[in-house]
Amino acid sequence: MRSGQAKRPPYNRLIPAGAGPASHQSMRRIILLLATVLALNAIAAPQPLPLKEISLMLRSGYSSQDVLREIAQRRVLEPLDPTSRKSLAASGASPELLQALDTGAYRVDDATAEASRRAALEATARQSAEAENIFRNAISALRDQRARASASEAAPASQPLLSALRDKLVICRDGVVTPFDPAAVENKKLIAFYFSAHWCAPCRKFTPTLVDYYQRVAPQHPEFELIFVSSDRSRFNWETYLRDMKMPWPAIDFDQLPAFTSLKKRGGESIPSLLILDATGHVVASSYEGEKYQGPQSALATLDKIFAANAAPVASVP
């Protein structure tokens, strides 16, 4: 878990109200950079596993038997060299796994390896183009909101965020990730964003508690919804986390996360973290007290008080 003492600037919007062309250009560069990095792990069809990905799986808690089953299906991209062997052993690889990689039995041929690398480059280009479209849509949503505000009363500050989330949400049911109906969150009075990751041990410990809380509270409070915002480093780990924890709430699709760096900043430097917004986009509870990280239980305690008082902070989004 990252340090909870890092400074948190007071972010109040997905895109600041006063953001000029320079701010937009900076956000555009960040989105495209993250899209380039993450696209290498976001290829639609299963690809051969590079040795670095195998090492990451082991460090994330997967057993050598789990990895053997995975490479039996997906194969391995490159041969095992002495440096990689040492790294895998340090990550917890069993002698059986190392021997399987040593033999080269699971390695793809050179032509397949080259095709996989080309597919990764093509995925990078697609991801960058998608990130550009997401950026333009977010800016368009913000302009539309300002136009409505000048014609009548100001629209709720959460609208650009909800607009950006539209068609970007998925949910895992019975182990299958499917699109989530965006209309299901548009009229919520309270939306909790859960910042977490499979590689984070405190997150994996807390998530079952949050699942129990959600299943108890959500049916009693239809004005409330929770959305998972992942800090995972690969789509494989993201999807495994959704499936293994049986998360009953929607999540931002892994491929769309580069467009939501501002939202992740609002969640703070430490995970697991909860950020709860009202219908106007104002923070009503979080895992922080000022700049001090208190953990997600602190946000749940505040949320319980809101529910107990039966007083949602503001009217629902029109």
Side-chain angles (χ1 to χ4, degrees), residues 297-317:
Q297 292 285 10
S298 174
L300 293 184
T302 302
L303 190 59
D304 281 336
K305 292 178 181 178
I306 294 174
F307 289 148
N310 194 28
V314 294
S316 63
V317 179

Side-chain angles (χ1 to χ4, degrees), residues 35-298:
T36 300
V37 173
L38 294 175
L40 295 174
N41 293 315
I43 306 171
Q47 296 293 311
L49 282 165
L51 294 175
K52 287 184 178 180
E53 181 74 8
I54 294 174
S55 179
L56 176 61
M57 290 170 65
L58 292 167
R59 293 198 303 272
S60 298
Y62 288 89
S63 69
S64 292
Q65 287 299 319
D66 291 335
V67 175
L68 277 169
R69 283 192 290 270
E70 189 68 19
I71 65 176
Q73 295 179 6
R74 294 176 57 183
R75 320 300 286 176
V76 180
L77 187 62
E78 63 260 296
L80 183 65
D81 55 63
T83 300
S84 298
R85 181 187 179 90
K86 183 177 179 180
S87 175
L88 287 170
S91 298
S94 68
E96 181 186 6
L97 174 58
L98 292 174
Q99 182 179 4
L101 294 172
D102 266 331
T103 64
Y106 292 104
R107 188 190 168 211
V108 297
D109 56 55
D110 291 341
T112 302
E114 180 60 27
S116 178
R117 294 186 184 99
R118 286 199 302 270
L121 292 174
E122 292 170 359
T124 298
R126 290 195 302 270
Q127 189 78 1
S128 296
E130 178 65 15
E132 177 72 15
N133 289 335
I134 293 170
F135 173 80
R136 290 178 178 174
N137 290 340
I139 294 300
S140 177
L142 180 62
R143 288 172 178 168
D144 290 345
Q145 183 208 4
R146 289 174 178 171
R148 291 193 299 269
S150 63
S152 56
E153 63 181 8
S158 62
Q159 285 302 291
L161 176 56
L162 293 179
S163 296
L165 285 170
R166 188 172 185 86
D167 301 326
K168 308 298 185 297
L169 298 177
V170 296
I171 193 165
C172 185
R173 292 191 175 99
D174 299 323
V176 179
V177 177
T178 58
F180 183 77
D181 181 7
V185 299
E186 289 180 350
N187 293 316
K188 298 295 182 179
K189 297 179 181 179
L190 293 168
I191 298 182
F193 292 94
Y194 179 43
F195 303 89
S196 183
H198 182 272
W199 55 260
C200 167
C203 298
R204 295 197 304 272
K205 181 178 179 180
F206 172 73
T207 299
T209 300
L210 186 59
V211 169
D212 291 342
Y213 180 90
Y214 181 90
Q215 290 175 334
R216 173 174 57 84
V217 167
Q220 302 172 12
H221 297 279
E223 75 278 12
F224 167 72
E225 188 54 273
L226 187 148
I227 297 173
F228 172 47
V229 185
S230 175
S231 293
D232 280 307
R233 296 155 184 162
S234 73
R235 186 176 184 89
F236 173 82
N237 283 348
W238 168 82
E239 188 167 338
T240 299
Y241 194 27
L242 288 176
R243 184 174 59 250
D244 289 355
M245 293 295 175
K246 295 181 173 58
M247 294 187 188
W249 46 70
I252 297 176
D253 189 282
F254 182 83
D255 295 352
Q256 309 299 335
L257 287 169
F260 295 95
T261 54
S262 294
L263 175 61
K264 295 177 77 170
K265 288 179 181 178
R266 293 184 73 182
E269 296 293 328
S270 298
I271 56 174
S273 176
L274 281 168
L275 176 71
I276 302 171
L277 307 180
D278 65 15
T280 67
H282 295 125
V283 177
V284 298
S286 79
S287 296
Y288 289 81
E289 182 178 336
E291 296 180 358
K292 184 177 181 181
Y293 177 74
Q294 299 286 355
Q297 292 285 10
S298 174

